[in-house]
Coordinates of all heavy atoms in Angstrom, one line a residue:
M1 N 15.1 -0.5 -9.1 CA 14.5 -0.5 -7.8 C 13.0 0.1 -7.9 O 12.8 1.0 -8.6 CB 15.4 0.4 -6.9 CG 14.8 0.4 -5.5 SD 16.1 0.6 -4.2 CE 16.6 2.3 -4.5
T2 N 12.2 -0.5 -7.1 CA 10.8 -0.1 -7.1 C 10.6 0.7 -5.8 O 11.1 0.4 -4.7 CB 9.9 -1.3 -7.1 OG1 10.3 -2.1 -8.2 CG2 8.5 -1.0 -7.1
R3 N 9.8 1.7 -6.0 CA 9.4 2.5 -4.8 C 7.8 2.5 -4.7 O 7.1 2.7 -5.7 CB 9.8 4.0 -5.1 CG 9.3 5.0 -4.1 CD 10.1 6.3 -4.2 NE 11.2 6.3 -3.3 CZ 11.2 6.6 -2.0 NH1 10.1 7.0 -1.5 NH2 12.3 6.6 -1.3
I4 N 7.4 2.3 -3.5 CA 6.0 2.2 -3.2 C 5.7 3.4 -2.3 O 6.4 3.6 -1.3 CB 5.6 0.9 -2.5 CG1 6.1 -0.3 -3.2 CG2 4.1 0.8 -2.4 CD1 5.9 -1.6 -2.4
S5 N 4.5 4.0 -2.5 CA 4.2 5.0 -1.6 C 2.6 5.0 -1.4 O 1.9 4.6 -2.4 CB 4.6 6.4 -2.0 OG 4.0 6.8 -3.2
I6 N 2.2 5.5 -0.3 CA 0.7 5.6 0.0 C 0.4 7.0 0.3 O 1.1 7.7 1.1 CB 0.3 4.8 1.2 CG1 0.6 3.3 1.0 CG2 -1.2 5.0 1.5 CD1 0.3 2.5 2.2
D7 N -0.5 7.6 -0.5 CA -1.0 8.9 -0.2 C -2.0 8.9 0.9 O -3.2 8.5 0.7 CB -1.6 9.5 -1.5 CG -2.0 11.0 -1.3 OD1 -2.0 11.5 -0.2 OD2 -2.1 11.7 -2.3
K8 N -1.6 9.3 2.1 CA -2.4 9.1 3.3 C -3.6 10.1 3.2 O -4.6 9.9 3.9 CB -1.6 9.4 4.5 CG -0.6 8.3 4.9 CD -1.2 7.3 5.7 CE -0.2 6.4 6.3 NZ -0.7 5.5 7.3
D9 N -3.4 11.2 2.4 CA -4.6 12.1 2.3 C -5.7 11.6 1.4 O -6.8 12.0 1.5 CB -4.1 13.4 1.6 CG -3.2 14.2 2.5 OD1 -3.2 14.0 3.7 OD2 -2.3 14.9 2.0
V10 N -5.4 10.5 0.6 CA -6.4 9.9 -0.2 C -6.9 8.6 0.4 O -8.1 8.3 0.2 CB -5.7 9.6 -1.6 CG1 -6.7 8.9 -2.5 CG2 -5.3 11.0 -2.2
C11 N -6.1 7.9 1.1 CA -6.5 6.6 1.6 C -7.7 6.7 2.4 O -7.9 7.6 3.3 CB -5.4 6.1 2.5 SG -5.7 4.6 3.4
I12 N -8.6 5.8 2.2 CA -9.9 5.8 3.0 C -9.9 4.6 4.0 O -10.9 4.3 4.7 CB -11.1 5.7 2.1 CG1 -11.1 4.5 1.2 CG2 -11.3 7.0 1.3 CD1 -12.3 4.2 0.4
G13 N -8.8 3.9 4.1 CA -8.8 2.8 5.1 C -9.6 1.5 4.7 O -10.1 0.8 5.5
A14 N -9.7 1.3 3.4 CA -10.4 0.1 2.9 C -9.7 -1.2 3.3 O -10.3 -2.2 3.3 CB -10.7 0.2 1.4
G15 N -8.4 -1.1 3.4 CA -7.7 -2.3 3.8 C -7.3 -3.3 2.7 O -6.8 -4.4 2.9
Q16 N -7.7 -3.0 1.5 CA -7.5 -3.9 0.4 C -6.0 -4.2 0.1 O -5.7 -5.3 -0.2 CB -8.1 -3.3 -0.9 CG -9.7 -3.2 -0.9 CD -10.3 -4.6 -0.6 OE1 -9.9 -5.6 -1.2 NE2 -11.2 -4.6 0.3
C17 N -5.2 -3.1 0.4 CA -3.8 -3.3 0.2 C -3.2 -4.4 1.1 O -2.4 -5.3 0.7 CB -3.0 -2.0 0.4 SG -3.4 -1.2 1.9
A18 N -3.6 -4.4 2.4 CA -3.1 -5.3 3.4 C -3.6 -6.7 3.1 O -2.9 -7.7 3.3 CB -3.4 -4.8 4.8
L19 N -4.8 -6.7 2.5 CA -5.4 -8.1 2.2 C -4.7 -8.7 1.0 O -4.5 -9.9 0.9 CB -6.9 -7.9 1.9 CG -7.8 -7.7 3.1 CD1 -9.2 -7.4 2.6 CD2 -7.8 -9.0 4.0
T20 N -4.4 -7.8 0.1 CA -3.8 -8.3 -1.2 C -2.3 -8.6 -1.1 O -1.8 -9.5 -1.7 CB -4.0 -7.1 -2.3 OG1 -5.4 -6.9 -2.4 CG2 -3.4 -7.6 -3.7
A21 N -1.6 -7.7 -0.4 CA -0.1 -7.9 -0.3 C 0.3 -7.8 1.2 O 0.9 -6.8 1.6 CB 0.6 -6.9 -1.2
P22 N 0.0 -8.8 2.0 CA 0.3 -8.7 3.4 C 1.8 -8.6 3.7 O 2.2 -8.3 4.9 CB -0.4 -9.9 4.0 CG -0.6 -10.8 2.9 CD -0.7 -10.0 1.7
D23 N 2.6 -9.0 2.8 CA 4.1 -8.9 3.0 C 4.6 -7.5 2.9 O 5.7 -7.1 3.2 CB 4.8 -9.7 2.0 CG 4.6 -11.2 2.3 OD1 4.2 -11.6 3.4 OD2 5.0 -12.0 1.4
L24 N 3.7 -6.6 2.3 CA 4.1 -5.2 2.0 C 3.4 -4.2 2.9 O 3.9 -3.2 3.2 CB 3.9 -4.9 0.5 CG 4.7 -5.7 -0.5 CD1 4.2 -5.4 -1.9 CD2 6.2 -5.5 -0.4
F25 N 2.1 -4.5 3.0 CA 1.2 -3.4 3.7 C 0.6 -4.0 4.9 O 0.4 -5.2 5.1 CB 0.0 -3.1 2.7 CG 0.4 -2.5 1.4 CD1 0.7 -3.3 0.3 CD2 0.7 -1.1 1.3 CE1 1.0 -2.8 -0.9 CE2 1.1 -0.6 0.1 CZ 1.3 -1.4 -1.0
T26 N 0.3 -3.0 5.8 CA -0.5 -3.3 7.0 C -1.4 -2.2 7.2 O -1.5 -1.3 6.3 CB 0.5 -3.5 8.2 OG1 -0.4 -3.9 9.3 CG2 1.2 -2.2 8.6
Q27 N -2.2 -2.2 8.3 CA -3.1 -1.1 8.5 C -2.7 -0.5 9.9 O -2.4 -1.2 10.8 CB -4.5 -1.5 8.6 CG -5.1 -1.9 7.2 CD -6.5 -2.4 7.3 OE1 -6.7 -3.6 7.5 NE2 -7.5 -1.6 7.2
D28 N -2.7 0.9 9.9 CA -2.3 1.5 11.2 C -3.5 1.5 12.1 O -4.6 0.8 11.8 CB -1.8 3.0 10.9 CG -2.9 3.9 10.5 OD1 -4.1 3.5 10.5 OD2 -2.5 5.0 9.9
D29 N -3.4 2.0 13.3 CA -4.3 1.9 14.4 C -5.7 2.5 13.9 O -6.8 2.1 14.5 CB -3.9 2.6 15.6 CG -2.7 1.9 16.2 OD1 -2.5 0.8 15.9 OD2 -2.0 2.6 17.1
D30 N -5.7 3.4 13.0 CA -7.0 4.0 12.5 C -7.5 3.3 11.3 O -8.5 3.7 10.7 CB -6.8 5.5 12.1 CG -6.4 6.3 13.3 OD1 -7.0 6.0 14.4 OD2 -5.5 7.1 13.3
G31 N -6.8 2.2 10.8 CA -7.2 1.4 9.7 C -6.7 1.9 8.4 O -7.0 1.3 7.3
Y32 N -5.9 2.9 8.4 CA -5.3 3.4 7.1 C -4.1 2.5 6.6 O -3.4 1.9 7.5 CB -4.9 4.8 7.2 CG -6.0 5.8 7.4 CD1 -6.2 6.4 8.6 CD2 -6.9 6.0 6.3 CE1 -7.4 7.2 8.8 CE2 -8.0 6.8 6.5 CZ -8.2 7.4 7.8 OH -9.3 8.3 8.0
G33 N -4.0 2.4 5.4 CA -2.9 1.6 4.8 C -1.5 2.2 5.3 O -1.3 3.4 5.3
E34 N -0.6 1.2 5.5 CA 0.8 1.6 6.0 C 1.7 0.6 5.4 O 1.4 -0.6 5.3 CB 0.8 1.6 7.5 CG 2.0 2.2 8.1 CD 1.8 2.4 9.6 OE1 1.8 1.3 10.3 OE2 1.5 3.5 10.0
L35 N 2.8 1.1 4.9 CA 3.9 0.1 4.4 C 4.6 -0.5 5.6 O 4.9 0.2 6.6 CB 4.9 0.9 3.6 CG 4.3 1.3 2.2 CD1 5.3 2.4 1.6 CD2 4.3 0.1 1.3
L36 N 4.9 -1.7 5.5 CA 5.7 -2.4 6.5 C 7.1 -1.9 6.4 O 7.6 -1.4 5.4 CB 5.7 -3.9 6.3 CG 4.3 -4.6 6.6 CD1 4.3 -6.0 6.1 CD2 4.1 -4.5 8.1
P37 N 7.8 -1.9 7.6 CA 9.2 -1.3 7.5 C 10.0 -2.0 6.5 O 10.0 -3.2 6.3 CB 9.7 -1.7 9.0 CG 8.5 -1.8 9.8 CD 7.4 -2.3 8.9
G38 N 10.8 -1.1 5.7 CA 11.7 -1.6 4.8 C 11.1 -2.0 3.4 O 11.8 -2.5 2.5
T39 N 9.9 -1.6 3.2 CA 9.3 -2.0 1.9 C 9.1 -0.7 1.0 O 8.6 -0.9 -0.2 CB 7.9 -2.6 2.1 OG1 7.1 -1.7 2.9 CG2 7.9 -3.9 2.8
E40 N 9.5 0.5 1.5 CA 9.4 1.6 0.6 C 10.2 1.5 -0.6 O 9.8 2.0 -1.7 CB 9.7 2.9 1.4 CG 8.8 3.2 2.5 CD 9.3 2.6 3.8 OE1 10.2 1.8 3.8 OE2 8.8 3.0 4.9
D41 N 11.4 1.0 -0.4 CA 12.3 0.9 -1.5 C 12.7 -0.5 -1.7 O 12.8 -1.3 -0.7 CB 13.6 1.7 -1.3 CG 13.4 3.2 -1.2 OD1 12.8 3.7 -2.2 OD2 13.7 3.8 -0.2
G42 N 13.1 -0.9 -2.9 CA 13.6 -2.2 -3.0 C 12.9 -3.0 -4.1 O 12.2 -2.5 -4.9
T43 N 13.2 -4.3 -4.1 CA 12.7 -5.2 -5.1 C 11.4 -5.8 -4.5 O 11.4 -6.5 -3.5 CB 13.7 -6.2 -5.4 OG1 14.9 -5.7 -5.8 CG2 13.2 -7.1 -6.5
V44 N 10.3 -5.4 -5.1 CA 9.0 -6.0 -4.7 C 8.4 -6.8 -5.8 O 8.6 -6.6 -6.9 CB 8.1 -4.8 -4.3 CG1 8.6 -4.0 -3.1 CG2 7.8 -3.9 -5.4
G45 N 7.7 -7.7 -5.3 CA 7.0 -8.6 -6.2 C 5.8 -8.0 -6.9 O 5.5 -6.8 -6.8
P46 N 5.2 -8.8 -7.8 CA 4.0 -8.3 -8.6 C 2.9 -7.9 -7.7 O 2.0 -7.2 -8.1 CB 3.7 -9.5 -9.4 CG 4.3 -10.7 -8.8 CD 5.5 -10.1 -8.1
L47 N 2.8 -8.3 -6.4 CA 1.7 -8.0 -5.5 C 1.7 -6.5 -5.3 O 0.6 -5.9 -4.9 CB 1.8 -8.8 -4.2 CG 1.4 -10.2 -4.3 CD1 1.6 -10.9 -3.0 CD2 0.0 -10.4 -4.9
A48 N 2.8 -5.7 -5.4 CA 2.7 -4.3 -5.1 C 1.8 -3.7 -6.2 O 1.0 -2.8 -5.8 CB 4.1 -3.7 -5.2
G49 N 2.0 -4.0 -7.4 CA 1.2 -3.5 -8.5 C -0.3 -3.9 -8.3 O -1.2 -3.2 -8.6
E50 N -0.5 -5.1 -7.9 CA -1.8 -5.6 -7.7 C -2.5 -4.9 -6.6 O -3.7 -4.5 -6.7 CB -1.8 -7.2 -7.3 CG -3.1 -7.8 -7.1 CD -4.0 -7.9 -8.4 OE1 -3.5 -7.5 -9.5 OE2 -5.2 -8.2 -8.3
A51 N -1.8 -4.6 -5.5 CA -2.4 -3.8 -4.4 C -2.8 -2.4 -4.9 O -3.8 -1.9 -4.5 CB -1.4 -3.7 -3.3
A52 N -1.9 -1.8 -5.7 CA -2.2 -0.5 -6.3 C -3.5 -0.6 -7.1 O -4.3 0.3 -7.1 CB -1.0 0.0 -7.1
R53 N -3.6 -1.6 -7.8 CA -4.8 -1.8 -8.7 C -6.1 -1.9 -7.9 O -7.1 -1.4 -8.3 CB -4.6 -3.0 -9.6 CG -5.5 -3.1 -10.8 CD -5.3 -4.3 -11.7 NE -5.6 -5.5 -10.9 CZ -6.8 -6.0 -10.7 NH1 -7.8 -5.3 -11.2 NH2 -7.0 -7.1 -10.0
V54 N -6.0 -2.7 -6.8 CA -7.2 -2.9 -6.0 C -7.6 -1.8 -5.1 O -8.7 -1.8 -4.6 CB -7.2 -4.3 -5.3 CG1 -7.0 -5.5 -6.2 CG2 -6.2 -4.3 -4.2
C55 N -6.7 -0.9 -4.9 CA -7.0 0.2 -3.9 C -8.2 1.0 -4.6 O -8.0 1.5 -5.7 CB -5.8 1.1 -3.8 SG -6.2 2.6 -2.8
P56 N -9.3 1.2 -3.8 CA -10.4 1.8 -4.5 C -10.3 3.3 -4.8 O -11.1 3.9 -5.5 CB -11.5 1.6 -3.5 CG -10.8 1.3 -2.1 CD -9.5 0.7 -2.5
V57 N -9.3 3.9 -4.1 CA -9.1 5.4 -4.3 C -7.7 5.7 -5.0 O -7.3 6.8 -5.0 CB -9.3 6.1 -3.0 CG1 -10.7 6.1 -2.6 CG2 -8.3 5.6 -1.9
Q58 N -7.1 4.7 -5.5 CA -5.8 4.9 -6.1 C -4.8 5.6 -5.3 O -4.1 6.5 -5.7 CB -5.9 5.6 -7.5 CG -6.4 4.7 -8.6 CD -7.9 4.6 -8.7 OE1 -8.6 5.6 -8.7 NE2 -8.4 3.4 -8.7
A59 N -4.7 5.3 -4.0 CA -3.8 5.9 -3.1 C -2.4 5.4 -3.2 O -1.5 6.0 -2.6 CB -4.4 5.8 -1.7
I60 N -2.2 4.2 -3.8 CA -1.0 3.6 -3.9 C -0.2 3.9 -5.2 O -0.8 3.7 -6.2 CB -1.1 2.1 -3.6 CG1 -1.7 1.8 -2.3 CG2 0.3 1.4 -3.8 CD1 -2.1 0.3 -2.1
T61 N 1.0 4.3 -5.1 CA 1.8 4.5 -6.2 C 3.0 3.6 -6.2 O 3.7 3.4 -5.2 CB 2.3 6.0 -6.3 OG1 1.3 6.9 -6.2 CG2 3.1 6.3 -7.6
V62 N 3.2 2.9 -7.3 CA 4.3 2.0 -7.5 C 5.1 2.5 -8.7 O 4.6 2.6 -9.8 CB 3.9 0.5 -7.8 CG1 5.1 -0.4 -7.9 CG2 3.0 0.0 -6.6
T63 N 6.4 3.0 -8.5 CA 7.2 3.5 -9.6 C 8.5 2.7 -9.6 O 9.0 2.2 -8.7 CB 7.4 5.0 -9.4 OG1 7.9 5.2 -8.1 CG2 6.1 5.7 -9.6
Ligands
LIG101 S1 -6.3 -0.2 -0.2 FE1 -6.0 2.0 -0.5 S2 -7.6 3.0 0.6 FE2 -7.4 0.9 1.4 S3 -6.1 1.0 3.1 FE3 -4.8 0.5 1.3 S4 -4.1 2.5 0.5 FE4 -5.8 2.9 1.9

C-alpha cells in the first residue's frame, strides 16, 4: 500500500501537484496542495511519484 502525504508547513502553493496528478491532488482555498478524499492510502499510480518529483519544495512524500 502506498501512502501519500503533504507537509503543509513546507508547501508554497505552487500547484504543480494538482497539475501533474489531478486524480490525487487539488488545491485548497488558499492555493495549497491538498489530497483528494480517499487518496492518502491505497494503490496509487506512478503520477504520485511524479507529483512528488515536480513539487518545488519537496513537500510531498510517497512511501
Ligand atoms: S506542488 Fe508542492 S508546493 Fe505546490 S501545491 Fe503541491 S505540495 Fe504545495
Side-chain angles (χ1 to χ4, degrees):
M1 183 150 68
T2 303
R3 170 167 272 272
I4 311 171
S5 63
I6 299 175
D7 187 341
K8 291 272 194 168
D9 292 336
V10 175
C11 173
I12 57 170
Q16 294 301 315
C17 51
L19 287 173
T20 302
D23 291 346
L24 300 173
F25 298 93
T26 186
Q27 287 176 275
D28 68 16
D29 292 343
D30 296 321
Y32 293 108
E34 193 168 73
L35 285 165
L36 289 168
T39 56
E40 295 93 345
D41 294 304
T43 305
V44 296
L47 284 180
E50 181 65 9
R53 196 182 63 77
V54 300
C55 175
V57 291
Q58 280 87 51
I60 298 170
T61 306
V62 180
T63 52

